[in-house]
C-alpha cells in the first residue's frame, strides 16, 4: 500500500496560465475526492468520483475547473486561466464505498498552487 | 449545514497534559471520524466511531459520541510535541457521500 500520491507537490504559475494536477489513489479504492484548502481553514469539498463517474461537483468549482478520472484509477484536476484567488493547497483523497456507507478517506500530501 | 463544528478553535497546553476537543453536528449521523493535519501536510485519519458506539480508544486517543446531544469529543492523553496539529471532525450522514470540514481545532503543545 503506497498511499495516495499527488503530483506535483508544488506549482508556481502566472495568472492566466492553465495548470493540471494529478492524483493517484490507493489502488482498490473506488471513490476519489478533491478538496481545496486555504490557510487557516478546513478543506473545502470540490468534487468526487465513484469509479470513473463524477457524481458531485461543488458550486465552488467554477467553469475554469475540470476534473476527470478516465479509467477509474488516477484523476486529474485542471484549472484554466488561473487567478490569484486560486492559490491554495489542493488535496486528493480516496476511499472505499461499501454497503455500510462512507468509509475512511485517505488523503494525499497535497499540491500547493501559487498564482503570481 | 452538514459540517461538524469544532470547539475550541485553538488550544494551547503543556506537554504531558491532556487535550480535549469537541465537535457538534446537526442531524443524525452514520458515523463520525476525526482527522489530524500537521502544518502544510495532508490529513491523517485518526479514528472512526459509528452511531451505535459511545466510546472508542486508539492508543492515547479516546473518542466519545453522544448522539442525543449530537456531539463528540476527542481526548488526547499525555500530549507530546508531535501532537501539535489541527484536528477536524467529520460527521457522515446516511444521505451524504462527502465530508464537509469545519475550521478545526488548532492544538499547540508547549515544551
Amino acid at each position: 500500500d503506497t498511499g495516495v500520491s499527488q503530483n506535483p507537490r508544488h506549482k508556481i504559475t502566472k495568472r492566466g496560465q492553465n495548470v493540471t494536477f494529478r492524483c493517484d489513489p490507493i489502488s482498490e479504492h473506488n471513490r476519489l475526492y478533491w478538496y481545496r484548502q486555504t490557510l487557516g481553514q478546513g478543506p473545502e469539498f470540490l468534487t468526487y468520483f465513484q469509479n470513473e463517474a463524477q457524481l458531485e461537483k461543488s458550486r465552488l468549482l467554477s467553469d475554469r475547473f475540470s476534473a476527470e478520472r478516465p479509467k477509474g484509477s488516477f484523476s486529474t484536476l485542471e484549472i484554466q486561466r488561473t487567478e490569484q484567488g486560486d492559490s491554495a493547497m489542493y488535496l486528493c483523497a480516496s476511499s472505499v464505498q461499501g454497503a455500510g456507507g462512507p468509509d475512511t478517506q485517505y488523503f494525499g500530501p497535497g499540491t500547493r498552487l501559487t498564482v503570481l | 449545514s452538514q459540517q461538524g463544528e469544532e470547539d475550541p478553535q485553538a488550544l494551547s497546553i503543556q506537554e504531558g497534559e491532556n487535550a480535549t476537543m469537541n465537535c457538534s453536528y446537526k442531524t443524525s449521523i452514520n458515523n463520525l471520524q476525526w482527522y489530524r493535519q500537521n502544518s502544510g501536510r495532508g490529513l491523517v485519519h485518526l479514528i472512526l466511531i459509528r452511531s451505535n458506539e459511545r466510546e472508542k480508544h486508539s492508543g492515547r486517543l479516546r473518542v466519545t459520541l453522544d448522539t442525543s446531544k449530537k456531539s463528540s469529543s476527542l481526548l488526547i492523553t499525555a500530549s507530546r510535541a508531535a501532537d501539535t496539529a489541527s484536528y477536524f471532525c467529520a460527521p457522515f450522514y446516511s444521505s451524504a457521500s462527502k465530508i464537509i470540514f469545519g475550521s478545526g481545532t488548532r492544538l499547540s503543545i508547549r515544551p
Side-chain angles (χ1 to χ4, degrees), chain A residues 92-108:
Chain A
C92 174
S94 69
S95 71
V96 175
Q97 176 67 6
D103 213 329
T104 301
Q105 292 191 15
Y106 294 85
F107 282 78

Side-chain angles (χ1 to χ4, degrees), chain B residues 67-83:
Chain B
T67 53
S68 67
K69 295 181 179 177
K70 294 185 172 57
S71 67
S72 174
S73 66
L74 171 66
L75 169 68
I76 304 173
T77 60
S79 62
R80 305 169 182 170
D83 296 328

Side-chain angles (χ1 to χ4, degrees), chain A residues 31 33 37 48 56 104-105, chain B residues 31 35 37 45 97-98 102:
Chain A
R31 286 223 167 165
Y33 304 79
Q37 186 177 28
Y48 86 92
E56 188 170 348
T104 301
Q105 292 191 15
Chain B
N31 66 57
Y35 289 81
Q37 184 178 35
H45 177 259
S97 49
K98 60 185 185 285

Side-chain angles (χ1 to χ4, degrees), chain B residues 9-97:
Chain B
Q9 290 187 339
L11 179 62
S12 178
I13 61 172
Q14 203 76 31
E15 191 169 10
E17 294 181 336
N18 296 342
T20 299
M21 289 157 269
N22 303 297
C23 170
S24 59
Y25 57 90
K26 292 286 169 50
T27 60
S28 297
I29 58 170
N30 189 321
N31 66 57
L32 186 141
Q33 303 178 29
W34 284 90
Y35 289 81
R36 182 189 73 220
Q37 184 178 35
N38 293 91
S39 181
R41 312 283 288 273
L43 280 75
V44 174
H45 177 259
L46 295 177
I47 199 163
L48 180 154
I49 187 165
R50 300 198 183 278
S51 58
N52 60 354
E53 298 174 311
R54 291 296 167 258
E55 188 170 311
K56 205 159 181 181
H57 296 255
S58 176
R60 294 184 296 112
L61 305 181
R62 174 179 164 242
V63 168
T64 61
L65 180 65
D66 187 334
T67 53
S68 67
K69 295 181 179 177
K70 294 185 172 57
S71 67
S72 174
S73 66
L74 171 66
L75 169 68
I76 304 173
T77 60
S79 62
R80 305 169 182 170
D83 296 328
T84 294
S86 291
Y87 292 80
F88 298 92
C89 71
F92 266 111
Y93 306 92
S94 56
S95 61
S97 49

Side-chain angles (χ1 to χ4, degrees), chain A residues 1-6 23-35 47-51 69 72-75 91-98 102-109, chain B residues 33 35 43-45 92 97-99 101:
Chain A
D1 178 4
T2 57
V4 178
S5 62
Q6 291 187 246
C23 171
D24 287 88
I26 294 171
S27 58
E28 65 270 23
H29 284 187
N30 55 3
R31 286 223 167 165
L32 187 147
Y33 304 79
W34 285 99
Y35 296 86
T47 188
Y48 86 92
F49 294 83
Q50 178 144 325
N51 300 313
R69 196 183 183 197
S73 56
F74 73 91
S75 175
L91 294 165
C92 174
S94 69
S95 71
V96 175
Q97 176 67 6
D103 213 329
T104 301
Q105 292 191 15
Y106 294 85
F107 282 78
Chain B
Q33 303 178 29
Y35 289 81
L43 280 75
V44 174
H45 177 259
F92 266 111
S97 49
K98 60 185 185 285
I99 299 175
F101 287 98

